Amino acid sequence: MKVKKLKFTVRAEEDLLRKFGYIAKYNARSANRELEFLMKKRIAEFEKMHGKISYE
């Protein structure tokens, strides 16, 4: 089953984006994959502390 991927825009200072891109490249990821990795990590941490997020 294909997962639907949504798009969104991030506004950030140039220096922040450049450093983020550097970290992503260091980890052999695109900036998009690095952000997705960090989002999943943060969600897991949050759910561990507060319980599963239900949005439906």
Side-chain angles (χ1 to χ4, degrees):
M1 177 182 279
K2 190 172 182 177
V3 176
K4 182 178 179 181
K5 297 217 174 195
L6 304 176
K7 296 179 184 181
F8 72 98
T9 302
V10 175
R11 291 183 208 83
E13 295 176 6
E14 183 179 356
D15 189 50
L16 182 63
L17 288 176
R18 287 181 182 266
K19 288 179 179 182
F20 186 75
Y22 180 92
I23 293 168
K25 188 174 181 180
Y26 180 86
N27 289 324
R29 297 184 182 110
S30 66
N32 186 72
R33 287 288 180 208
E34 185 72 17
L35 181 57
E36 188 175 3
F37 170 80
L38 292 172
M39 290 170 68
K40 288 177 181 179
K41 183 178 175 183
R42 181 63 181 117
I43 290 167
E45 291 169 353
F46 183 92
E47 288 184 331
K48 186 176 181 182
M49 291 182 67
H50 302 284
K52 185 161 178 61
I53 297 171
S54 177
Y55 53 87
E56 294 178 35

